[in-house]
Amino acid sequence: IAFLGVGMVAIPTGIISAGFVEHYTKIKTMHKYALESDIKFVTLKIDRDHPWKNKLIKELNIPKGLILAIIIRKEEVVIPDGIKTISSGAFINKLNVIEVIIPDSVTEICSSAFSGSIVAKVNIPDGVTSIARETFSYCYDLKSLVIPDSVESIGNRAFDSCTGLTDIIIGSGVTSIGS
């Protein structure tokens, strides 16, 4: 489980998602009570003996000030609808994330977001307008990618050393591709 200090929690396999809506509503209004600089990542691993294993979210008794934000199940990350930005280095060097499901609400994927990870499958939703520099650099397992028409620019080295990338479809909106 990953917490964001004021925060976020990632739900591992085995925790049922009931209660997620209440936490998601808090995420959407986080800007009202926290500055971005106040948000901190904390990681908590849930093993088979952890008291949160196989619990409903509403049964977790999550401490005040922590907000559920990302669901992690096995090798898949589901980013909840309403999130607008995937921050720089969000999944950098993650060796346990193979698939990332990005909602249509995301409009920005920042630099090095997936750099060095083993992500093999990622969807870039319509609405994303740019792919920042080094976003997927060193993602050796990434095999194919569809860049939607909404993307206007692709940053420098966005796919540097993606040796497994054999199929890429670039949408008609792209007017600028970095080196």
Side-chain angles (χ1 to χ4, degrees):
I1 285 193
F3 288 97
L4 291 172
V6 151
M8 297 191 186
V9 176
I11 307 171
T13 303
I15 293 182
I16 301 168
S17 63
F20 178 77
V21 173
E22 293 83 8
H23 291 279
Y24 174 68
T25 302
K26 290 178 187 177
I27 292 168
K28 291 183 81 169
T29 60
M30 190 178 342
H31 69 280
K32 293 180 181 176
Y33 55 87
L35 300 173
E36 188 173 336
S37 60
D38 293 331
I39 299 171
K40 308 289 186 242
F41 282 97
V42 179
T43 301
L44 173 64
K45 184 174 180 169
I46 303 295
D47 60 24
R48 63 187 167 116
D49 297 324
H50 195 281
W52 284 7
K53 179 82 173 166
N54 297 319
K55 298 280 184 163
L56 297 173
I57 292 170
K58 64 184 179 184
E59 296 172 339
L60 296 182
N61 197 18
I62 295 174
K64 185 176 178 163
L66 296 178
I67 301 172
L68 180 67
I70 296 176
I71 301 168
I72 300 174
R73 291 206 166 100
K74 296 186 181 180
E75 298 164 335
E76 174 186 84
V77 171
V78 179
I79 299 170
D81 192 27
I83 301 295
K84 299 206 178 295
T85 302
I86 298 176
S87 62
S88 295
F91 298 97
I92 196 166
N93 297 325
K94 292 290 183 191
L95 301 179
N96 61 340
V97 176
I98 293 176
E99 181 176 1
V100 179
I101 299 171
I102 303 172
D104 290 339
S105 61
V106 170
T107 57
E108 181 179 17
I109 301 174
C110 297
S111 63
S112 303
F114 300 97
S115 182
S117 71
I118 63 167
V119 68
K121 184 175 182 183
V122 84
N123 67 304
I124 299 175
D126 289 331
V128 171
T129 57
S130 68
I131 296 174
R133 66 180 171 78
E134 301 175 355
T135 298
F136 296 99
S137 62
Y138 301 98
C139 290
Y140 303 115
D141 296 323
L142 186 61
K143 304 225 180 318
S144 65
L145 192 64
V146 175
I147 298 173
D149 293 341
S150 61
V151 173
E152 298 169 359
S153 65
I154 299 172
N156 291 335
R157 299 179 310 281
F159 303 101
D160 186 27
S161 300
C162 290
T163 54
L165 187 58
T166 56
D167 297 312
I168 186 166
I169 298 172
I170 298 176
S172 62
V174 175
T175 57
S176 170
I177 299 177
S179 58

